[in-house]
Amino acid sequence: MWHAPATRHGFHAHDIESHHFETSRSFCENMIALKLNSRPRDGHGVAETRNEKRARIALERMLPTLEAFWEAEDVEQVEIDEVMERLQRHWPRLFGLLVGLYGEQWDFFYHLEQIVMTMIRGWRMRDESLRQSDRQRINNPGWYTSEKLVGGALYVDLFSENLGKLRDQIPYFQKLGLTYLHLMPLFAVRPGNNDGGYAISNYRSIDPRVGTLDDLKQLAAALREAGILLVLDFVFNHTADDHYWAQQAQSGNEEFEDYYFLFDNRTVPDQYEQTLREIFPTVRRGSFTWHDGMQRWVWTTFNSFQWDLNYHNPEVFRAMLAEMLFIANTGVDLLRLDAVAFIWKQMGTMCENLPEAHEIIQAFNACARIAAPGLIFKSEAIVHPDEVVRYISEEECQTSYNPTLMALLWESLATRDTKLLQRSLARRHQLPSQTTWVNYLRCHDDIGWTFDDDDAAAVGINAYHHRHFLNAFYTGQFEGSFARGVPFQHNVDTGDMRISGTLASLAGLEQAIELDRVDLKELAIRRILLLNASMLSAGGIPLMYLGEEWGTLNDYDFVKDPAKAGDTRWVHRPKMQWNYLDELGDDGSIRGRIFKSLQKLIEIRKQTPAFSGLEMELIATQSPQLLAYVRSNAGNRVIVVSNFSEHPQTIDSNRLRTAGMGRFFEDLYTGQTITTAEDVHLEPYQFLWLHRV
Ligand code: GLC
Ligand code: GLC
């Protein structure tokens, strides 16, 4: 039974005189709706579930606290109505998740209320301009599946020195056609090695070397104006060892010791390590680091200075929720959830991809729906493909990196054979509605061969040997290889490694330039364009690592910087060479050609509704070197045919006719007309984007 709290929103005589009686009515209606929820639902006769009932009662008990907040903050009634409507809508889900994660805590209700108030405070700090975009996005679900989205990622310091100068580059992003910009972590970091910004010492301040919070907000507003989404990281698996929380833990503050995983001796770490994977084996063996000051072991999945946060503690969830909303309120449209796989630990497991990791993310998602509904998530799970998809849903991460497509595009390029890629696309490309992939060829990280061993076996490939082959190929060790990659995290025990290198160096441009061979340069450029055309057409948001758009080569100078020397990923994170900009107009230069071709591909992608969403049907061809598929969306169709080899190929015109439902096609890229009266020929590494005419 619902009792109105004795506050201004209850039915009290003084309200009748007070001017806000009228305005408070709709809130009262909300309250009545809350009460109505306990009855069988209209028409359906479905009774409130046990979770719904408990959720309702829990929320009812918090109303006095909320009331006090509205009062103290002088919140307007329309605003209250708006946020309360969302809170009520998403609350049963959030409540259910939090009960599942933390319901056993003796002080659960305290934490629950703290979480709600953190959410409400985060919402309260949100600018009206962001709230407007929240409303638009609520009315346009799935807005991020549009063909208009094309992304770029960069490190602010390496790209333009600082945030102010980055704002001056907006015309450049527009020239390239970008509508999504991911700034690599730019928050305050620990001194020295900071893992490319992923060792954060304060989520609420910007690394002074690149600017201030104000600069970020101004940039966000300018990007919004230019129609470019802003993407930042939410590095929520760990903090730097000099974050305030970690410092407090180091000085023996009990409350903050519980923010991390600390152990007096090796007993428990040894038990965990029996089932853990080593992520950075060349940095340190195992997953724990001895801390001299505390005389304790700390859980550090990545570098020794990155301390894993303990989400078994609801206070950590609440604290990170506050940081998340703070970041969102700077004007971020999409948060990249870093290292999602690792956020929950359980003895006897790999401590990766555990069910609770999903529940934590879903809980953050529900909070976002209430406090910052325009915000969406991207999952960074560079794990087995079966696990990657488990993070993707409208209620968890609406978008996700597509590491399998990335790895298999490179695999096809090495083998000149698309069978494994085709198998994966056929079985793994579709996602739930209102979700999408983020497709990429290179990012700031290494390439790992995350395909499924059974998929490989099904097409006659031994996964173990194949990974060794791919590593040899991309580090240039394999006879005849065109690639110039560098090993990353070579594990001497298992022989495992991952690959660093820029797109252009991995695709053969570095070698071709070194050998000064015109023919090899031509092939390398074609490979670069072929991979980009695949990324732009496969379905999902394409995301480039900036510098790729003009064929940046590996930069081996990183070894001169002691903070970078131990991490080969810096080979593919060079400083942007703006002096090359002059060459971009020049078709004759390699950089100019790559840039202009990409610019054109991006433009076409954005003008082609068939590229929206993920709908894809593979077309069988007789040559394994070819990859062919139809992309369709709302009655629009485009056929994509790609030749992954340096030899010409032919595709049977009957297949195109059937797939494209026509006899004449135009290649959107070259403008060339293709008739299915005869078989269609593809040059080395050529691709076709065919549209019926
Ligand atoms: C993510 C980042 C990577 C970083 C790691 C630890 O995987 O992409 O660069 O090293 O998280 O934060
Ligand atoms: C591992 C992690 C991934 C991270 C990468 C950094 O693959 O799974 O999250 O990006 O290491 O190299």
Side-chain angles (χ1 to χ4, degrees):
M1 175 65 195
W2 152 251
H3 298 282
T7 67
R8 68 175 171 140
H9 294 301
F11 296 102
H12 288 273
H14 69 264
D15 277 339
I16 297 177
E17 284 107 39
S18 85
H19 68 277
H20 65 238
F21 178 70
E22 264 309 301
T23 50
S24 68
R25 181 189 284 163
S26 56
F27 182 70
C28 295
E29 280 163 3
N30 275 336
M31 294 299 104
I32 291 162
L34 195 66
K35 184 180 168 192
L36 286 179
N37 278 344
S38 65
R39 306 224 178 100
R41 288 192 206 119
D42 324 318
H44 303 301
V46 183
E48 192 180 40
T49 64
R50 199 172 67 157
N51 177 59
E52 281 165 353
K53 180 175 173 189
R54 290 179 174 178
R56 175 175 53 80
I57 293 170
L59 190 56
E60 283 172 4
R61 287 182 176 151
M62 284 178 214
L63 287 171
T65 312
L66 283 163
E67 280 297 324
F69 180 81
W70 310 140
E71 196 87 54
E73 292 272 313
D74 204 12
V75 187
E76 285 192 35
Q77 194 56 50
V78 279
E79 296 182 82
I80 300 177
D81 288 347
E82 188 178 23
V83 76
M84 283 305 292
E85 190 274 324
R86 298 202 299 248
L87 179 58
Q88 280 182 252
R89 182 194 306 260
H90 298 286
W91 176 248
R93 179 162 82 91
L94 177 57
F95 174 79
L97 289 162
L98 294 172
V99 169
L101 288 161
Y102 304 121
E104 300 295 307
Q105 303 268 338
W106 65 270
D107 54 353
F108 175 61
F109 187 78
Y110 165 79
H111 291 292
L112 199 60
E113 195 171 72
Q114 292 294 314
I115 290 169
V116 168
M117 293 318 291
T118 298
M119 208 158 52
I120 295 296
R121 275 191 291 271
W123 160 80
R124 180 73 180 136
M125 300 300 293
R126 199 157 170 82
D127 280 355
E128 180 52 29
S129 63
L130 295 177
R131 291 189 188 181
Q132 263 171 28
S133 113
D134 288 342
R135 288 173 206 124
Q136 280 162 9
R137 287 175 185 174
I138 290 177
N139 292 326
N140 184 16
W143 54 271
Y144 38 81
T145 60
S146 161
E147 73 280 7
K148 304 275 189 256
L149 289 191
V150 175
L154 57 85
Y155 276 102
V156 177
D157 57 337
L158 297 172
F159 188 84
S160 59
E161 275 175 54
N162 59 44
L163 285 166
K165 290 192 188 160
L166 188 64
R167 194 144 45 101
D168 300 339
Q169 294 301 344
I170 291 179
Y172 176 75
F173 305 135
Q174 288 174 316
K175 183 170 161 189
L176 185 56
L178 302 186
T179 49
Y180 163 130
L181 190 68
H182 175 201
L183 307 184
M184 300 301 299
L186 38 65
F187 301 100
V189 284
R190 72 192 293 280
N193 187 351
N194 58 45
D195 190 24
Y198 285 95
I200 295 178
S201 39
N202 187 345
Y203 298 90
R204 298 188 185 220
S205 74
I206 302 297
D207 184 336
R209 287 167 291 195
V210 303
T212 63
L213 262 180
D214 252 7
D215 294 335
L216 177 63
K217 286 186 185 164
Q218 280 179 33
L219 174 71
L223 288 172
R224 193 167 293 265
E225 187 74 16
I228 300 175
L229 300 180
L230 175 61
V231 183
L232 289 186
D233 276 82
F234 182 41
V235 184
F236 70 130
N237 175 67
H238 44 260
T239 71
D241 55 359
D242 71 343
H243 188 283
Y244 174 76
W245 305 336
Q247 283 180 350
Q248 286 298 306
Q250 283 162 51
S251 59
N253 183 334
E254 221 175 46
E255 184 187 341
F256 291 96
E257 286 175 349
D258 287 344
Y259 271 47
Y260 301 96
F261 297 96
L262 309 178
F263 306 93
D264 291 337
N265 55 49
R266 285 294 312 179
T267 316
V268 178
D270 283 343
Q271 284 168 10
Y272 275 116
E273 273 181 1
Q274 287 178 11
T275 49
L276 293 179
R277 179 166 74 106
E278 291 179 293
I279 304 301
F280 282 175
T282 63
V283 164
R284 173 211 61 237
R285 303 316 303 259
S287 298
F288 300 86
T289 301
W290 175 251
H291 191 274
D292 259 344
M294 291 187 299
Q295 290 288 301
R296 284 184 178 181
W297 292 92
V298 189
W299 197 314
T300 55
T301 297
F302 294 90
N303 289 289
S304 298
F305 49 78
Q306 288 163 306
W307 291 20
D308 286 44
L309 284 164
N310 174 10
Y311 281 92
H312 296 252
N313 175 2
E315 179 49 24
V316 167
F317 177 84
R318 193 211 58 79
M320 284 309 290
L321 171 64
E323 304 312 275
M324 178 183 99
L325 293 176
F326 182 88
I327 299 169
N329 288 345
T330 59
V332 174
D333 299 286
L334 189 154
L335 277 181
R336 171 191 183 276
L337 268 50
D338 181 59
V340 292
F342 304 93
I343 59 171
W344 193 266
K345 330 284 189 196
Q346 191 187 314
M347 183 69 80
T349 73
M350 271 176 83
C351 299
E352 285 185 50
N353 309 308
L354 291 172
E356 290 84 351
H358 294 280
E359 287 162 19
I360 300 262
I361 301 167
Q362 288 167 18
F364 280 128
N365 173 307
C367 294
R369 301 282 68 69
I370 296 161
L375 179 75
I376 60 162
F377 292 165
K378 172 170 74 167
S379 150
E380 190 246 350
I382 313 302
V383 291
H384 187 279
D386 289 345
E387 297 295 345
V388 173
V389 293
R390 296 206 171 103
Y391 293 92
I392 310 172
S393 76
E394 220 187 333
E395 284 77 38
E396 196 167 333
C397 295
Q398 298 89 340
T399 71
S400 163
Y401 276 107
N402 192 349
T404 316
L405 177 66
M406 182 277 291
L408 292 181
L409 284 170
W410 287 108
E411 189 267 347
S412 299
L413 204 66
T415 57
R416 285 79 158 170
D417 186 328
T418 64
K419 60 180 185 278
L420 186 51
L421 175 56
Q422 289 193 47
R423 184 174 169 90
S424 175
L425 285 172
R427 308 172 146 241
R428 302 182 179 278
H429 196 60
Q430 287 314 308
L431 292 177
S433 71
Q434 320 287 30
T435 65
T436 198
W437 291 114
V438 172
N439 295 323
Y440 63 114
L441 302 169
R442 294 298 300 112
C443 65
H444 69 292
D445 277 334
D446 46 288
I447 301 177
W449 307 110
T450 60
F451 53 80
D452 175 57
D453 291 9
D454 292 335
D455 279 356
V459 294
I461 293 174
N462 174 309
Y464 178 82
H465 294 304
H466 203 52
R467 288 196 180 91
H468 278 268
F469 156 73
L470 291 166
N471 283 331
F473 188 92
Y474 280 107
T475 51
Q477 305 297 309
F478 188 81
E479 178 77 29
S481 165
F482 48 74
R484 283 289 164 82
V486 180
F488 177 65
Q489 296 299 330
H490 185 197
N491 186 325
V492 286
D493 295 346
T494 60
D496 281 349
M497 66 167 82
R498 308 193 299 262
I499 303 293
S500 293
T502 65
L503 169 69
S505 287
L506 294 174
L509 192 57
E510 186 175 325
Q511 186 202 53
I513 289 174
E514 217 167 83
L515 300 174
D516 197 19
R517 290 257 308 266
V518 180
D519 54 338
L520 297 186
K521 287 181 197 166
E522 177 63 28
L523 290 178
I525 294 169
R526 290 186 183 199
R527 286 188 203 102
I528 292 169
L529 297 180
L530 172 80
L531 288 189
N532 274 293
S534 305
M535 165 178 85
L536 284 157
S537 65
I541 306 170
L543 175 60
M544 291 192 263
Y545 186 79
L546 291 180
E548 274 177 15
E549 73 280 21
W550 53 23
T552 296
L553 300 181
N554 285 349
D555 179 356
Y556 300 94
D557 275 355
F558 72 96
V559 293
K560 294 182 189 152
D561 181 343
K564 296 182 174 174
D567 188 332
T568 63
R569 288 174 298 174
W570 289 104
V571 84
H572 55 246
R573 300 168 181 172
K575 209 166 147 67
M576 196 70 165
Q577 301 288 323
W578 286 107
N579 51 318
Y580 294 159
L581 205 58
D582 309 335
E583 284 180 35
L584 296 189
D586 173 7
D587 286 336
S589 82
I590 294 177
R591 293 188 191 97
R593 185 170 151 204
I594 296 175
F595 184 87
K596 284 199 157 175
S597 309
L598 280 176
Q599 204 182 19
K600 185 169 171 189
L601 281 169
I602 291 170
E603 179 62 21
I604 300 170
R605 138 104 194 183
K606 286 162 64 185
Q607 300 305 326
T608 307
F611 287 147
S612 163
L614 293 177
E615 182 99 13
M616 164 192 285
E617 210 180 306
L618 288 167
I619 307 171
T621 71
Q622 297 97 322
S623 353
Q625 294 87 344
L626 291 180
L627 174 67
Y629 47 82
V630 187
R631 289 298 322 284
S632 48
N633 172 54
N636 302 289
R637 290 164 86 80
V638 168
I639 303 180
V640 176
V641 188
S642 310
N643 176 7
F644 276 79
S645 92
E646 60 272 65
H647 304 293
Q649 306 292 330
T650 301
I651 183 163
D652 172 357
S653 59
N654 276 322
R655 293 179 196 261
L656 289 185
R657 199 159 43 228
T658 322
M661 298 188 299
R663 306 183 135 269
F664 296 96
F665 296 92
E666 185 198 0
D667 175 17
L668 295 173
Y669 183 57
T670 58
Q672 186 196 348
T673 307
I674 297 218
T675 145
T676 53
E678 56 212 41
D679 287 349
V680 177
H681 299 283
L682 284 96
E683 288 178 28
Y685 297 120
Q686 193 188 349
F687 56 88
L688 299 167
W689 285 3
L690 301 177
H691 187 255
R692 195 177 66 183
V693 285

